[in-house]
Amino acid sequence: MPPLALTLGDPAGIGPELALSAWLARGGADPLPPFFLVADPAFIERLANRLNRLVPVAEVDPETAAEVFPSALPVVPLPSGAQVSAEPGVPDTVNAGATIESITTAVGFVKAGRASAVVTNPIAKFVLTRTGFAHPGHTEFLAALSVPPGRTPPRPVMMIWSAGLSVVPVTIHVPLKDVPGLLTQDLVEETATIVARDLRQRFGLPEPRLVLAGLNPHAGEAGTIGHEDRDVLAPAVARLRAAGIDIRGPLPADTLFHARARAAYDVALAPTHDQALIPIKTIAFDDGVNVTLGLPFVRTSPDHGTAFDIAGQGIARPDSLMAALRLAARLAANAADPAETPGGEVIPFNVYAGRPRPAGARHFDPEDEL
């Protein structure tokens, strides 16, 4: 497998220093897969010196990165030769071009087979939009890069994965008051279909088990507390089940995330952003991974932002980035041609999200006490 391509992110944030920390922690009982950083090598060297990190930096191309990785942090220069000069904690539009170029270059390497997956460091959208960046966000930009110019990009789905819980918000960064109008049967069905497909193809789960949280308290109580669960979510679930997808719901969100409930499903879909992200950031704040489903290549990222407030202090924890690198390598191996993967077969997640899945394990019924 080719190495992973790690993007620069916003150079004033914690992304570049996390790359240094991850490389320093590359060995041990659970070693990191080889990766290279797409960045300005001189900037990374200056940052390492500033943080007093003993990290040798080697300028490489993707083909030599894996060979160099055990002894130095491989850095592939930006094709334009752009030089980065960022003050930690001080975002500046002057570096927007380098941030974008790192992303486009990393995606290009994956599409050309020179990298096995893209792992993205956090960006600050407000910095990019001030320079004319027209995409709604990081994920939408990656979707646009996955197809030739002028082609309709695939619909990406955000899944936050951890060893204890995996969640998908059906609606994401929208005001809560707008959710009922956006929450359609088609949206729920499309989201769940993408999730189920990628769980089979990339996570090695032949029969993924999904649940859908209700929008209203107690999942609407048969329409007495709002009609969306009865009129939108329940019919969507029925159509998905008729299409062969193992999904249950809508189920009360307040009883869906304790340990016994989590043992009965692989991914929980939730109508709103906070319904999904509050539980996982409570359970796995430091090591959650953002996985983009629905793209023709594997993309993961740490489940946190640029953290400008602590950038440059050397205190940012690399746990989430390290988890993102490990998961990206495993998903890329599963997504590759089986003849090219070790053993010639998909690597199953026999223990998925930290929970044993014995053959024939049943899904819980809505009537089960949660």
Side-chain angles (χ1 to χ4, degrees):
M1 294 290 293
L4 306 170
L6 175 62
T7 67
L8 172 66
D10 191 303
I14 62 173
E17 66 185 84
L18 292 181
L20 297 170
S21 298
W23 184 83
L24 285 171
R26 66 197 179 283
D30 189 12
L32 288 180
F35 68 87
F36 60 83
L37 181 62
V38 183
D40 171 15
F43 167 72
I44 301 302
E45 284 187 329
R46 291 195 305 271
L47 181 63
N49 292 332
R50 176 174 184 151
L51 295 171
N52 197 27
R53 301 279 172 83
L54 299 178
V55 178
V57 175
E59 185 174 323
V60 299
D61 57 36
E63 287 71 27
T64 58
E67 178 183 354
V68 168
F69 184 76
S71 58
L73 173 63
V75 180
V76 175
L78 298 167
S80 69
Q83 298 180 350
V84 176
S85 179
E87 180 68 21
V90 185
D92 193 332
T93 56
V94 72
N95 293 310
T99 298
I100 293 172
E101 186 180 7
S102 178
I103 298 168
T104 58
T105 302
V107 171
F109 286 147
V110 174
K111 292 171 70 174
R114 304 176 72 188
S116 58
V118 176
V119 181
T120 58
N121 266 314
I123 65 172
K125 181 186 168 186
F126 74 91
V127 174
L128 303 185
T129 54
R130 290 174 182 173
T131 65
F133 186 74
H135 299 275
H138 204 165
T139 300
E140 290 82 2
F141 182 41
L142 289 161
L145 292 174
S146 72
V147 295
R151 295 276 298 274
T152 301
R155 179 174 176 264
V157 170
M158 180 176 76
M159 181 172 79
I160 309 299
W161 179 93
S162 77
L165 174 66
S166 297
V167 298
V168 169
V170 178
T171 64
I172 307 179
H173 300 124
V174 297
L176 194 57
K177 65 180 178 61
D178 294 343
V179 170
L182 297 171
L183 199 63
T184 64
Q185 290 185 38
D186 287 344
L187 177 63
V188 173
E189 291 178 53
E190 183 181 15
T191 302
T193 300
I194 292 170
V195 172
R197 182 194 66 204
D198 276 22
L199 288 180
R200 286 191 296 268
Q201 295 178 356
R202 293 183 175 171
F203 284 83
L205 286 173
E207 297 179 356
R209 303 169 299 171
L210 311 183
V211 293
L212 175 64
L215 173 66
N216 297 296
H218 304 173
E221 286 197 3
T224 60
I225 311 176
H227 63 85
E228 294 86 359
D229 300 279
R230 180 196 62 195
D231 297 343
V232 178
L233 302 187
V237 167
R239 296 204 310 209
L240 287 163
R241 290 182 64 81
I245 293 176
D246 183 358
I247 182 170
R248 299 296 176 98
L251 298 169
D254 61 348
T255 55
L256 200 54
F257 297 104
H258 65 75
R260 187 151 45 90
R262 296 198 308 270
Y265 60 80
D266 299 311
V267 175
L269 283 69
T272 72
H273 176 278
D274 283 7
Q275 280 179 313
L277 270 65
I278 287 174
I280 196 166
K281 290 194 174 184
T282 300
I283 293 170
F285 184 78
D286 290 315
D287 55 5
V289 178
N290 185 340
V291 186
T292 304
L293 308 179
L295 297 181
F297 53 82
V298 172
R299 180 263 181 142
T300 67
S301 71
D303 184 28
H304 57 67
T306 52
F308 291 125
D309 57 325
I310 62 170
Q313 299 178 36
I315 61 174
R317 295 180 54 165
D319 306 56
S320 185
L321 175 59
M322 294 171 67
L325 290 163
R326 291 188 180 103
L327 184 60
R330 190 165 189 181
L331 297 182
N334 283 351
D337 185 333
E340 299 175 2
T341 60
E345 58 186 21
V346 165
I347 306 168
F349 276 53
N350 291 327
V351 177
Y352 176 74
R355 302 180 297 278
R357 294 198 73 226
R362 74 178 183 89
H363 205 304
F364 67 84
D365 294 321
E367 293 78 15
D368 287 351
E369 181 183 356
L370 299 179

